[in-house]
Amino acid sequence: MTQRKAPGWTLLGPAFVAAIAYVDPGNVAANVSAGAKFGFLLVWVIVTANLMAGLVQYLSAKLGLVTGRSLPEVIGAHSRTPSRIAFWLQAELVAMATDLAEVVGGAIALHLIFGLPLLLGGVITGVVSMALLVLGDRRGPRLFEQVTSGLLMIIAIGFLASLVVAPPAPADVAAGLLPRFDGTESVLLATAILGATVMPHAVYLHSGLARDRHGRPEPGPARRRLLRVTRWDVGLAMLVAGTLNLAMLLAAANNLRGVEAVDSIEGAHAAVGDTLGPTVALFFAIGLLASGLASTSVGAYAGAMIMQGLLRVSVPLLWRRLITLAPALAILALGIEPTRALVISQVVLSFGIPFALVPLIRVTGDRALMGTDANGAVTSALGWIITAVIGALNAALIYLTLR
């Protein structure tokens, strides 16, 4: 008797978990700041970054399906001990920057909704994210996917509400598709948007998510089907993430441009309440809270995968969580302006992108490792172009900032 194939839609999911990383509180800070300060100027950055991220996430998932290993495991297997440790140190710094954005964002949201002190909100965000991680660890990746996908829908409702109430003019949006900058601050925000969209830890994570969900199918029809489903998975997930990122910038550009004191999330929330009403402001805060809770769980999951693949040690979830949580709580305890910390954290993330992209493109183009599923010439060329563009933006950021 022939075994019936599962419907393709039931195989979707890993990309939506990875997509949580693309709508974290760091995105909110970078996108709202960009829209409020420069209007529709940086729309093109979000669109371009999302297209880049789609290709990158597919390559990561393909690596996991074809090799049965995560990207950190592949890097660790082809590196000597000093190189593995050095690579892990930079990846750990990126993981801390990631957690900073997510925990601080969750703390701000709890402050906006319930009036809680930021430090207490950060602790609550950390504890809830830990509970989500334990749930995924004990009940399997499928339940974790369902919970994070549900939070993604809450994020979508929260951030799309303002566009429904006050949509921008199509001509203004179209004008923002023309690539250009307007001074050092616009380059800083463009790099922050890029760092918040092409996320290093999501690149490392997606390979392991695809492997854990689907295993390592043998070459042939089964693998081709899974790769085809994965393309749909990534495409749909990035469409959702890209739409939300664009909605944040458009809402800020349309409603907050020229409004004073919107250079922080708290100020933006207050301005949204003044211009669009308290209900839309509440939706904004709820979306931010869901973003912080979901993304910090996914970030910690990625951190554990990175550590295990590069250091070849398995660290208990509690200790893994505390390692990346501590800097975020320190920022909140010291009273450092949280929104600025969020934007700078995204810039730090952008510097970690080449360390994830270069090995990803190299190994997925290696026929000895990937066989017939290795990247073609066009895919490899696009991958290297993406890496070069990101590197150029980072170099411009350093030059303009120092000057």
Side-chain angles (χ1 to χ4, degrees):
M1 185 176 178
T2 304
Q3 187 175 6
R4 188 176 180 180
K5 291 182 179 179
W9 65 268
T10 64
L11 302 175
L12 303 177
F16 284 85
V17 175
I20 290 290
Y22 295 94
V23 288
D24 75 351
N27 291 79
V28 180
N31 295 331
V32 170
S33 295
K37 290 183 179 181
F38 296 101
F40 300 92
L41 179 75
L42 299 179
V43 165
W44 68 274
V45 177
I46 289 183
V47 174
T48 303
N50 204 66
L51 292 174
M52 291 179 177
L55 175 61
V56 168
Q57 293 304 139
Y58 172 68
L59 293 182
S60 177
K62 182 174 75 168
L63 175 67
L65 288 173
V66 173
T67 67
R69 292 186 288 179
S70 68
L71 179 58
E73 288 172 338
V74 173
I75 294 171
H78 292 81
S79 304
R80 296 182 178 180
T81 300
S83 298
R84 283 192 295 108
I85 294 175
F87 199 97
W88 169 75
L89 286 173
Q90 66 80 28
E92 191 67 28
L93 179 63
V94 168
M96 289 180 179
T98 300
D99 222 24
L100 169 64
E102 294 155 353
V103 173
V104 169
I108 293 173
L110 288 170
H111 174 71
L112 294 175
I113 298 171
F114 301 109
L116 298 180
L118 289 176
L119 181 58
L120 177 58
V123 172
I124 292 174
T125 301
V127 170
V128 173
S129 67
M130 182 66 191
L132 292 176
L133 285 170
V134 170
L135 180 68
D137 187 56
R138 294 183 177 179
R139 301 289 296 275
R142 183 57 177 159
L143 182 60
F144 188 70
E145 288 175 12
Q146 292 170 343
V147 172
T148 51
S149 296
L151 288 171
L152 182 60
M153 293 303 102
I154 296 174
I155 296 167
I157 294 170
F159 292 127
L160 289 175
S162 58
L163 284 188
V164 173
V165 173
D172 292 335
V173 179
L177 294 173
L178 177 64
R180 62 198 190 280
F181 294 109
D182 183 15
T184 304
E185 185 70 10
S186 68
V187 177
L188 173 65
L189 285 171
T191 309
I193 291 171
L194 192 66
T197 305
V198 185
M199 298 285 277
H201 75 283
V203 177
Y204 298 123
L205 175 66
H206 202 165
S207 53
L209 290 173
R211 183 267 319 273
D212 293 344
R213 176 72 186 281
H214 302 303
R216 184 187 182 187
E218 293 296 324
R223 179 185 290 181
R224 288 196 297 272
R225 180 171 184 258
L226 275 178
L227 289 173
R228 184 170 61 252
V229 169
T230 297
R231 286 193 287 272
W232 277 99
D233 194 24
V234 171
L236 292 172
M238 296 313 301
L239 178 62
V240 172
T243 300
L244 294 180
N245 279 316
L246 192 57
M248 296 173 203
L249 186 145
L250 295 181
N254 197 43
N255 301 298
L256 307 182
R257 184 80 191 274
V259 178
E260 295 183 0
V262 292
D263 55 348
S264 68
I265 289 181
E266 298 96 321
H269 173 264
V272 168
D274 292 338
T275 56
L276 300 178
T279 301
V280 177
L282 178 61
F283 274 115
F284 177 91
I286 291 173
L288 179 65
L289 178 59
S291 169
L293 294 177
S295 56
T296 193
S297 304
V298 171
Y301 192 163
M305 189 175 293
I306 291 167
M307 182 174 286
Q308 186 170 357
L310 291 171
L311 297 187
R312 300 172 184 170
V313 295
S314 181
V315 179
L317 275 177
L318 178 61
W319 287 107
R320 173 65 240 172
R321 192 71 197 90
L322 291 175
I323 289 172
T324 54
L325 182 62
L329 295 181
I331 291 289
L332 294 173
L334 292 171
I336 296 173
E337 205 288 305
T339 300
R340 189 63 178 174
L342 286 177
V343 173
I344 295 301
S345 74
Q346 302 311 296
V347 177
V348 173
L349 288 179
S350 73
F351 285 97
I353 295 172
F355 291 97
L357 293 190
V358 170
L360 175 68
I361 298 166
R362 287 185 61 186
V363 298
T364 53
D366 184 354
R367 290 199 172 274
L369 181 67
M370 301 290 291
T372 57
D373 293 305
N375 298 338
V378 173
T379 301
S380 292
L382 287 174
W384 291 120
I385 289 171
I386 290 171
T387 304
V389 168
I390 293 171
L393 266 178
N394 288 336
L397 172 66
I398 295 172
Y399 172 75
L400 291 172
T401 302
L402 293 178
R403 188 183 67 172

